[in-house]
Amino acid sequence: MRILIVGGVAAGMSAATRAKRHNPQAEVVVFERGDYISYGACGLPYVIGGEVESFGDLIARTPERIRSEGIRVRLRHEVSGVDASDQSVTVQEAGGRARREPYDRLLLATGVSPVRPDWATPGVAGVHVLRDIPDGQALEASVKSARRAIIVGGGYIGLELAEALRARGLSVVLVERGLDVAGRILDPEYQRRVRQELERHGVDVRCGVEVQALTASHGRVTGVQTSAGLLRGDVVMVAVGVRPNVALARSAGVKLGHTGAIRVNTKQETSTEHIYAAGDNSESVQRVTRRKVHVPLGLTANRMGRVAGVNMAGGAAHFPGIVGSGIFKTFGLGVARTGLSQHEADALKLDAVSVDVESTDHAGYYADAAPIWVRLTAERGTGRLLGAQILGHPGSVKRIDVIAALLHSRGKVHDLAEVDLAYAPPFSSVWDVLLVAAGQASRAARLPRTDTTAP
Amino acid sequence: MRILIVGGVAAGMSAATRAKRHNPQAEVVVFERGDYISYGACGLPYVIGGEVESFGDLIARTPERIRSEGIRVRLRHEVSGVDASDQSVTVQEAGGRARREPYDRLLLATGVSPVRPDWATPGVAGVHVLRDIPDGQALEASVKSARRAIIVGGGYIGLELAEALRARGLSVVLVERGLDVAGRILDPEYQRRVRQELERHGVDVRCGVEVQALTASHGRVTGVQTSAGLLRGDVVMVAVGVRPNVALARSAGVKLGHTGAIRVNTKQETSTEHIYAAGDNSESVQRVTRRKVHVPLGLTANRMGRVAGVNMAGGAAHFPGIVGSGIFKTFGLGVARTGLSQHEADALKLDAVSVDVESTDHAGYYADAAPIWVRLTAERGTGRLLGAQILGHPGSVKRIDVIAALLHSRGKVHDLAEVDLAYAPPFSSVWDVLLVAAGQASRAARLPRTDTTAP
C-alpha cells in the first residue's frame, strides 16, 4: 500500500500521521514544494506582532521527528501532474528532474493561495501576501525598515495584521473595497464596531475604496493609487482573500464544486477513484444549511486530513462538516462568529430573526467589567439556532463555542435559555449574556414575521 | 389577587417582578426581615477582597426603584408563621406588633443560613459567617484590625475568602475537615491542584483537621482548638456550609424532600395548596441523574423565582432543573465544574469513565499560554456526557459552559468531539482542550468495563 500526499502543512501532515498509525505497513510519502512542513500558518501575524517569538516556534513537528514515525518527507518536491489512469504523479525536486511516482491512494492537500489582484504587479519590493513562513519572513524583513503600511483587505488577515503592524510602530492605512471591514464575517452593525476599534488605535480605515495600481520607485513600492486618490506607503500587504489550489486536481480530472474548491464526500474522496482531497482546497458541508461551502480554516483542515488519512489506510472515517466558527482579535477587541449571520440567512431566504444584547462580560460591579455584544440568530417559528456573533474583550468571546456546540446538534434557543451556565461574579453576570440573548431570541422567534423588532 | 413573598433577595425579588409584570392588577407584597433586598450575595467575598468597591455596589435595585414598579416592599418584617388553612401569615415589623396578613398565593423564598457548628459559640467577637450584607460589613470591620485569619471550611466561600483575606494582607490558615479542599466540588486529583494554588499564595492549608472549640480573651476570639492542636487567629471565618431555612415551611405543613430542602414541582408549587417555594431553600431536579438535589446557587434561585412569580400570577412556567454548574476563582486559578464528577457518578453507581487532559489555554507558541486541565466524564457504552471539571487561568475556564449546554440536552462526547470550536492562536490550540478531551472520552467510553485506563 503506497500513499502519496501532496502538501505537508495542516491537512497533509494530519493525513500522513493518521494513515501511518492506522496502517503501519503502508508506505506514506509527503511531497511538499516548500521548505517547511507541519506549521501553524494561523500564527504568522503574531510573529510579526511579537506575540510569537519566531517563525520557528510555529513548527509543530520537525521533518526529522516526522521521519522518525516512518513517514517519508520530501521537501522542495513539486507535484506537477497526476495520471489517474495509471495511478501515478509527476514530481520534480527543486533543481532536479521530473520523475513518476506510483500511488495506491493519493491525497491532494494543496491548500489555498492568496489572491493577487492585477494591480499587484510582481517584482515590486515591499509588496506582500501572508500565507506561509517564507511570506512571513519576507514581510518581517520589509517591516524592519518600513514606516507606513498599507493593508489591502479587511478580512481576518488584514485585521490581525493591522494590530501587528501598529505594534511595530508603523502607521497603518487599511483599504477595503466593501462597505466595511469584516464584511464576510459579521453583520453590518458588528462590522462597524470592529472598524471603530481599528480607528481607536490609530488605523486609518478607508472603506468603499478600490486599489487600482501600485506606485513604485527604483523597484520599491511607494504607495497605491486608489479610487479615492493616492496613498503613500513603503510596505503594502495584499490580503484580499484566498483561492483553492486546484490545478493538480483539474489535471487529474477531479471535479470541483460550485464554490470552486474540490468536491469531496464525507470520506474526503474526490470524484476520481483512489484520489482524496482534504484541507483548505476542499469543500465541506455547512451543517446548519446542509450546503457545500468553502471555508478554509486550520481546525477543519486538520480534521479533514485525519479523515482522509484513516480512509486511505483502509479505515472508515467521516468528516461531519462544519458549523462555521471563526474567531480573531484586533487590538483590544475579540470577535467571534458561528453559524450564519442574519445577512447570510437572508441571502439563503431562511426565515431568520436576530436579537442584539449588550451586557458586561462579568458582573458589572466586579473590577474591570467590559462590554460584550451578542447577536443571536434563530429560525422563526421553530426557534432553531442559526448563528451568533460576539464582540468583546478577547478573553470573553470564546463563549461562541457554546453556540457552536448547540448548532452542531441543531439545538434551539429556548434550550439554551434554560441551561445553568456557570456563574460567579468574576466570570459572568448572574444571567450570562448568552442566556439573555437566548431568552430574547426565544421570544422573538415566536413572533409573526411582520413583527420584526427584536426586544 | 394578593401575592405574599417571604424573602427579598434573589428568588423573592425575581418572583415579585415577574408576578407584577404578568398580572399588574395583583397586589404583590415582599416581606424581608433584613435591611437589604435585591442584592448579589455572591459578590460579598469580593468586597472584602477589594475587587468590588462597596457593599452598596451589590444592590441591583433599590427599594424605591422596586416600589416604583408597584411592588410593596416591607423591610425589617419577619414572617413567623403560616396558617395554610385560612391562607394567612403572621408578620411582625421590628419593634412592632405581630399581625396577620392574608394571601391568595404565598412564596417562601427564605434562602439558606450558614451552618454554625456547636463550637462557634455565639457572642465571641471576631467570629464570622458570610451570607448577607450585614455579615459582610461585620467581617470587613474585623478585617481592618486583624492580622491572622482562620478560615474554617474549604468550599466556595472559604476558597474565595482565602484570596480576599490574603489580598488584605492577613496571614491565612484554612482548616478543612475533609481530606482536601473543594471536596464537594471536584474529584480528588483536582482538589489537590486547588490546594497547591492556595499554598503557593501563602495560605496554610490544614486538611483532615476538626475544629473543636474557639479560644477567646475578653470576649474576642484568639484562635481555635483543633484535632491537630491550637491555631492562633484574631478573625475566624466559619464557612462550613449552609442549610435551607425551612422553619416557616414546616409551620405551614409543607413537605421537605430527602435533601432537607423544600420539595417543589417544576411549577415551584409545594405540597400545600397556594404555597410556592423558590430559591436556595428549595430542591431542584438534576437533569443528568433526574434526581432531586439541593444546590443553592444564584442563577438557579433567580430562575426559580421567575417561574414561581409567573405561576402565582396566573401564568404557566416551568423550571427545567439544573445540570449542576459551578465556578469560582482563588488567586490565579479558575475552577469550574458541571454535571457529575467521577466520584459522584460512582456514588450513584453509574457506569462512568473519566479522561484527563492537560493542555494550554491557547496556542502554546502564543504569548502567555497557561496550563489548563480538563476532566471529562462520560457514560460507558453510550458515550453520554455526565460531567466535566476544568482548572486553569480564570479567563479560560468558562469553557465549562459548552459542556453545561450539552449536558442540558443529554449530548454525547463524540458529538462534542466533532464540533468546530472557534480557533485562532490567541484563543485556543487548533484542537481546543475540550475537543481533545472529547476525543479521548469518546474512545474511553466505548471500552469494556475491564479496561479502565483513561488514555
Side-chain angles (χ1 to χ4, degrees), chain A residues 303 323 325 398 401 417 420 432, chain B residues 303 323 325 398 417 420 422 432:
Chain A
R303 239 177 200 147
V323 295
S325 308
K398 209 159 185 307
D401 286 348
D420 49 312
D432 188 282
Chain B
R303 240 177 200 145
V323 294
S325 309
K398 207 157 188 304
D420 49 312
D432 188 281

Side-chain angles (χ1 to χ4, degrees), chain A residues 296-432:
Chain A
L297 287 174
L299 173 61
T300 303
N302 277 279
R303 239 177 200 147
M304 287 180 172
R306 287 182 171 196
V307 168
V310 168
N311 288 328
M312 289 191 295
H318 288 268
F319 180 66
I322 63 170
V323 295
S325 308
I327 194 167
F328 69 94
K329 74 180 277 291
T330 190
F331 301 100
L333 189 69
V335 180
R337 60 149 289 161
T338 191
L340 306 176
S341 65
Q342 177 70 41
H343 199 76
E344 289 166 336
D346 289 344
L348 293 164
K349 303 203 187 313
L350 291 169
D351 191 5
V353 61
S354 292
V355 298
D356 292 302
V357 175
E358 178 176 352
S359 182
T360 52
D361 51 6
H362 54 252
Y365 56 71
Y366 188 91
D368 303 323
I372 184 168
W373 295 270
V374 171
R375 163 167 286 203
L376 209 55
T377 303
E379 187 175 61
R380 216 183 287 265
T382 66
R384 181 161 74 92
L385 271 167
L386 294 177
Q389 297 159 66
I390 306 182
L391 266 62
H393 184 280
S396 71
V397 299
K398 209 159 185 307
R399 278 171 165 85
I400 199 77
D401 286 348
V402 174
I403 312 298
L406 292 176
L407 282 175
H408 189 86
S409 53
R410 302 181 84 77
K412 301 196 168 172
V413 281
H414 37 277
D415 293 327
L416 173 59
E418 289 185 341
V419 182
D420 49 312
L421 300 184
Y423 161 62
F427 298 95
S428 75
S429 305
V430 180
W431 297 94
D432 188 282

